[in-house]
Amino acid sequence: MTMNSEQKLGFIGLGVMGEPMCRNLARKSGRPILASDLDPAPLARLQAEGVQSATLEEILRDCDTIFLSLPSGEIVERLSRQPQGLLALARSGQTIIDLSTSPVSTTRELARDFAALGATFMDAPVARTRAAAEAGTLAVMVGGTPEHFARVRPLIATFASDIALCGGVRCGQVLKILNNMMLFEHVV
């Protein structure tokens, strides 16, 4: 799949971290963005950046690369497995990138199920604060193949300054867990 400036990007989840990440993606990627969230307020704010509100079906139909920024791995899994969810609508050649902090087992199972459809599922949990998301200086730990990483790294670089390929799918989640453990230990 060759990326060009005309191909639309999808972004699902515009909460505390998702909204500023989507804003930076819209400003810096040069690509049209279709976005979805249960709350219409961030969608209204992002309209000024050219982000278009879309349904899940429209995003999966029109976008080859889709970012997920959801509150938990349980919600990622629910959105993936529900009737008319991500797995029901995904097509061969798509790349779904989970920016959420999700369980390693969930990530592994979703990667397997998307691969059976010919789609790629990558984990890329983010670290740092909302201020870092707004500044485009997040840290992102990516799990995936070097080839897929090379393709999506320029997109992730629109909202992150520290981006590392940590190994195969699920390794981003493992490093995020270790990062959180060290952070919490340091705080305590």
Side-chain angles (χ1 to χ4, degrees), residues 64-86:
D64 290 332
T65 303
I66 300 155
F67 290 93
L68 308 177
S69 180
L70 300 168
S72 70
E74 293 77 22
I75 295 172
V76 171
E77 184 165 34
R78 191 175 334 133
L79 182 64
S80 296
R81 298 195 184 286
Q82 71 187 19
Q84 295 305 301
L86 297 173

Side-chain angles (χ1 to χ4, degrees), residues 68-147:
L68 308 177
S69 180
L70 300 168
S72 70
E74 293 77 22
I75 295 172
V76 171
E77 184 165 34
R78 191 175 334 133
L79 182 64
S80 296
R81 298 195 184 286
Q82 71 187 19
Q84 295 305 301
L86 297 173
L87 284 164
L89 299 168
R91 55 185 162 72
S92 181
Q94 283 180 311
T95 301
I96 292 87
I97 304 161
D98 181 16
L99 302 167
S100 317
T101 302
S102 297
V104 173
S105 58
T106 299
T107 299
R108 184 183 311 118
E109 291 164 10
L110 287 174
R112 178 198 63 217
D113 294 345
F114 279 103
L117 301 170
T120 300
F121 185 85
M122 300 176 71
D123 56 314
V126 302
R128 297 193 177 132
T129 63
R130 180 177 172 99
E134 290 168 353
T137 59
L138 290 169
V140 180
M141 296 145 272
V142 182
T145 66
E147 298 78 22

Side-chain angles (χ1 to χ4, degrees), residues 10-11 13-14 17-27 33-35 46 49 51 158-159:
F11 206 103
L14 302 170
M17 300 298 276
E19 181 180 352
M21 285 190 287
C22 185
R23 181 176 292 108
N24 278 312
L25 186 64
R27 287 178 178 169
I33 312 289
L34 298 182
L46 288 168
E49 305 294 339
V51 175
T158 65
F159 53 79

